[in-house]
Amino acid sequence: MKIFTDIPARRPLTPLLDRIDTPPDLRRLRPRDLPALADELREYLLYSVGQSGGHFGAGLGVVELSIVLHYCLDTPRDRLVWDVGHQAYPHKILTGRREQLLTIRQAGGLAAFPAREESLYDTFGVGHSSTAISAALGMALAARNAGRNQRSVAVVGDGALTAGMAFEALNHAGHSDADLLVVLNDNDMSISENVGGLSQYFSRLLASRTYTSMRENSKKMLRHFPEAAQILARRAEEHVKGMVTPGTLFEELGFHYLGPVDGHDLPRLLEVMDTVRDLEGPQFLHVITQKGRGFSPAEEAPIKYHAISKIEPAKATPANEPKKLKYSNIFGQWLCDMAALDSRLMGITPAMREGSDLVRFSQEYPERYFDVAIAEQHAVTLAAGMACEGAKPVVAIYSTFLQRGYDQLIHDVALQNLDVLFAIDRAGLVGEDGPTHAGSFDLTYLRCIPNMVVMTPRDESELRRLLSTGYHHEGPAAVRYPRGTGPGTEPAKDLEPIPLGKAEVLRRSRKKNALALLAFGSLVEPARAVAEALQATLVDMRFIKPLDTECLTELMGRHAAIVTLEENVVAGGAGSAVAEWMAANGHRQPMLQIGLPDQYLDHASAAQQLQQAGLDSASLEARIRAWQKDSQG
């Protein structure tokens, strides 16, 4: 296998890879050609992601596995479901999208994750982790019911097996008679190191045709023996395997466990896949891979190279131009500052330490830092348990991931009115990651929950102050903020909160019967130019719940029309909260609610998505002017 040290600036020569437009083309190659194909595929992946940006390390680690799966399975008739979809770049290359990979995550280009509408080979849409086993099992059961001869394969990796949903599916699948193969792409390697060299020998034995043939024939023979003898034989096999392999858990769940197998040893992988492909019932194949395999910088720093930005020519940055901090950086700084003042603070994240910027906190306060893996439900209820004992938990979580812990948010936190602060990152549109990661619904699903306080900062300084507001509030509170950088406002140094439910008027119109723009969070900045152009009043509402009803009452007496602006779906969002208050209090001014459209927006740059949604300044002004004209006509 070739080891690469640089990302190619020009398209590499890939004569073997260029012959493969679909998996049937791949299957026409000889087995001895596959190592050379793996080198070409890895080099092309390095080149293409360097041109487009995107997920990086996981794809490099599954090059050999992707080749073997499509070589040995009859895809797309056999259903291949990828968990944690950023593993699937090599899969996309091998299934007719080689040259299109240069467009990945761009407007009109390939999606960052498997998408059913993109290819017949993408059998299930994947954005959130730990869904593949459930989906593949559902496919297997439906195929059996329809009398179709097909195999379903779930490839689980990058921590997806840490989520409860994956184990719920394993528990069901192991006690079914479905022809399901679960492939664990284990790129952490902790199990392999623990079991040592002896397990290497036994994995070859347990995954061999000789062993599987003996196992199946023994099962047929044992059917004629008393039940007690059958039970004794099964237990004997499990205990012998349990002494030398990590597969006891999966065997107890009802799977036939094979492995661990070196996921970069192509001949061995082919041998094992040829064996397991024809076995009936639930099978579990444990494959050891290395994240970033074949690219030495990524092998040495897999977290750093989980994803990379598009490689651009270096540009000179003016010496006096300060670097903007991301909203997540502001949160990370605030968390450490507050932890220094309050020993009760606990930081919780569901496997998003780097994304939510808890790195410094985890280093300075390791005893108060809890990464619970990809287990959002557990993260929320863990925080509830801490709050019961007087701690002050802060849950750092993406908006789209908090959806997975919604029952726990309602039942375990809000119903008991527990003191938990949710720092909700990636709220609103998220650009290139597309609809699976967009935080489009949190204002809607949060504001309907009793006892919740819901806040939206307009800039970096407001984020810091609202985090303090939520932290000092005795009860559940949420601060939702966007991905990336803000307008560049210098954050306050102190930790002063904002009075609960207090809006701020940023511009007052001098016109009689003026228009009032009520902006929430990220749309305050684009609304500034609109307010100037329309000579309108502009209010930063800050709070969705509780609303500043005193401010609203004053505005209703001086304004002829109201427009609400939010980076959230209109249905049930912040504008709906204002409309409900107006209706309940007899205010009948014409009202326009602007937010995200009632559709999923495809991946594009953040600026392109805002324009598509009609939430950039120019689109907002045009839409409000058209509405005013229609209202007057």
Side-chain angles (χ1 to χ4, degrees):
M1 185 190 75
K2 288 184 180 179
I3 300 294
F4 301 94
T5 57
D6 294 303
I7 296 175
R10 296 184 178 180
R11 192 195 190 288
L13 295 175
T14 55
L16 276 175
L17 185 62
D18 292 347
R19 290 161 52 186
I20 298 169
D21 291 320
T22 60
D25 299 327
L26 168 64
R27 294 172 202 133
R28 283 191 278 271
L29 295 181
R30 297 165 297 184
R32 67 170 180 262
D33 294 326
L34 298 184
L37 175 65
D39 287 339
E40 291 184 12
L41 177 53
R42 188 167 271 114
E43 189 172 13
Y44 183 79
L45 182 63
L46 286 168
Y47 161 74
S48 63
V49 179
Q51 298 298 306
S52 64
H55 295 104
F56 192 68
L60 290 172
V62 295
V63 165
E64 288 83 5
L65 179 59
S66 302
I67 290 171
V68 167
L69 286 168
H70 282 294
Y71 192 80
C72 294
L73 298 172
D74 184 16
T75 55
R77 183 180 68 86
D78 289 334
R79 306 301 197 231
L80 182 57
V81 185
W82 292 90
D83 215 324
V84 185
H86 53 243
Q87 297 181 96
Y89 284 27
H91 157 81
K92 287 181 182 257
I93 293 172
L94 293 171
T95 54
R97 291 167 281 180
R98 180 182 60 248
E99 304 306 323
Q100 287 178 279
L101 200 72
L102 295 166
T103 70
I104 201 163
R105 296 161 54 90
Q106 300 169 24
L110 296 183
F113 308 101
R116 282 171 56 84
E117 64 276 10
E118 190 175 288
S119 170
L120 289 173
Y121 292 91
D122 290 0
T123 60
F124 196 76
V126 181
H128 291 184
S129 83
S130 314
T131 60
I133 303 173
S134 298
L137 176 60
M139 293 173 184
L141 294 173
R144 185 191 65 186
N145 186 63
R148 291 194 300 271
N149 179 26
Q150 67 185 50
R151 178 166 288 280
S152 293
V153 180
V155 185
V156 182
D158 254 26
L161 206 60
T162 62
M165 183 177 177
F167 282 94
E168 292 171 10
L170 286 172
N171 185 55
H172 179 197
H175 291 86
S176 74
D177 57 356
D179 290 335
L180 172 71
L181 170 61
V182 176
V183 179
L184 172 59
N185 168 28
D186 180 1
N187 55 21
D188 188 32
M189 299 179 68
S190 60
I191 295 176
S192 177
E193 291 174 358
N194 286 341
V195 297
L198 190 59
S199 75
Q200 300 285 329
Y201 167 76
F202 274 92
S203 71
R204 294 185 64 85
L205 169 65
L206 297 174
S208 69
R209 286 191 179 275
T210 302
Y211 171 78
T212 53
S213 177
M214 289 173 57
R215 185 179 191 269
E216 295 303 310
N217 289 333
S218 297
K219 285 165 64 177
K220 293 176 183 177
M221 291 173 58
L222 283 168
R223 290 174 189 157
H224 303 290
F225 282 73
E227 185 177 355
Q230 296 181 38
I231 293 172
L232 180 63
R234 284 197 298 270
R235 287 179 178 173
E237 181 194 28
E238 290 167 4
H239 286 302
V240 170
K241 291 171 72 175
M243 288 188 291
V244 293
T245 75
T248 304
L249 169 63
F250 305 109
E251 291 278 348
E252 292 289 346
L253 286 170
F255 283 82
H256 172 210
Y257 173 88
L258 302 114
V261 177
D262 182 351
H264 304 295
D265 183 343
L266 263 168
R268 180 77 190 117
L269 267 181
L270 283 171
E271 179 186 349
V272 173
M273 192 61 65
D274 274 341
T275 300
V276 74
R277 176 187 57 199
D278 299 322
L279 297 178
E280 295 181 349
Q283 312 294 322
F284 193 99
L285 175 59
H286 184 177
V287 178
I288 304 293
T289 65
Q290 181 181 22
K291 198 166 185 176
R293 177 77 169 186
F295 183 59
S296 54
E299 290 181 357
E300 295 166 8
I303 294 176
K304 178 181 177 182
Y305 285 93
H306 172 73
I308 62 172
S309 300
K310 179 180 178 180
I311 297 175
E312 304 274 12
K315 294 181 181 179
T317 302
N320 60 348
E321 184 177 317
K323 183 180 179 181
K324 277 188 178 183
L325 292 175
K326 295 179 180 179
Y327 279 108
S328 56
N329 302 144
I330 303 297
F331 164 72
Q333 292 176 353
W334 172 88
L335 191 68
C336 290
D337 292 346
M338 187 61 78
L341 295 179
D342 190 346
S343 62
R344 298 173 300 162
L345 186 149
M346 304 283 201
I348 301 170
T349 177
M352 287 288 111
R353 185 182 76 152
E354 285 72 28
S356 295
D357 200 13
L358 274 76
V359 175
R360 180 184 152 204
F361 179 82
S362 69
Q363 295 167 346
E364 294 184 7
Y365 303 96
E367 74 285 354
R368 292 195 266 160
Y369 167 72
F370 303 91
D371 184 341
V372 302
I374 304 174
E376 295 87 356
Q377 294 169 308
H378 169 58
V380 175
T381 303
L382 176 70
M386 290 177 175
C388 286
E389 296 302 315
K392 296 278 287 185
V394 179
V395 181
I397 192 167
Y398 290 7
S399 171
T400 186
F401 296 161
L402 183 55
Q403 294 164 188
R404 309 186 85 183
Y406 191 56
D407 178 66
Q408 289 70 28
L409 176 61
I410 294 173
H411 189 273
D412 297 339
V413 176
L415 180 63
Q416 303 184 93
N417 201 26
L418 292 173
D419 197 357
V420 179
L421 174 61
F422 294 90
I424 304 176
D425 199 350
R426 270 65 167 180
L429 300 172
V430 293
E432 291 84 353
D433 280 344
T436 59
H437 283 58
S440 306
F441 311 108
D442 53 74
L443 295 185
T444 298
Y445 71 66
L446 288 170
R447 81 170 191 89
C448 65
I449 302 175
N451 294 333
M452 285 296 303
V453 167
V454 187
M455 297 166 276
T456 58
R458 70 173 180 260
D459 58 29
E460 298 90 337
S461 184
E462 289 280 289
L463 171 59
R464 189 172 168 92
R465 295 186 67 196
L466 288 176
L467 285 166
S468 295
T469 304
Y471 187 79
H472 290 298
H473 172 69
E474 294 184 0
V479 182
R480 58 102 73 172
Y481 47 94
R483 180 185 186 182
T485 59
T489 305
E490 181 68 24
K493 300 300 182 186
D494 58 36
L495 295 169
E496 280 297 307
I498 290 171
L500 193 67
K502 188 66 176 175
E504 182 179 7
V505 178
L506 301 179
R507 184 187 190 280
R508 287 194 179 274
S509 176
R510 297 180 180 178
K511 291 176 63 178
K512 185 179 180 181
N513 296 324
L515 175 71
L517 304 182
L518 312 184
F520 293 84
S522 60
L523 289 194
V524 171
E525 285 306 310
R528 288 183 187 273
V530 179
E532 290 293 332
L534 300 178
Q535 299 180 53
T537 292
L538 175 61
V539 183
D540 173 11
M541 291 299 294
R542 288 175 172 157
F543 293 85
I544 288 85
K545 191 175 184 178
L547 288 170
D548 189 340
T549 56
E550 183 179 337
C551 176
L552 288 175
T553 300
E554 188 269 333
L555 289 171
M556 297 303 155
R558 300 181 61 249
H559 294 80
I562 306 295
V563 176
T564 60
L565 307 166
E566 62 189 300
E567 197 173 335
N568 184 83
V569 293
V570 172
S576 294
V578 174
E580 291 163 15
W581 178 87
M582 289 175 63
N585 289 275
H587 298 289
R588 296 180 173 83
Q589 285 95 332
M591 181 183 181
L592 174 63
Q593 295 171 235
I594 296 179
L596 295 176
D598 187 24
Q599 65 186 79
Y600 293 105
L601 294 177
D602 287 336
H603 51 278
S605 70
Q608 288 172 321
Q609 281 195 327
L610 280 173
Q611 189 173 33
Q612 290 170 15
L615 299 182
D616 61 303
S617 291
S619 300
L620 289 171
E621 181 182 343
R623 184 170 177 184
I624 294 169
R625 286 189 184 279
W627 174 72
Q628 287 179 311
K629 184 177 179 181
D630 290 342
S631 299
Q632 293 167 359

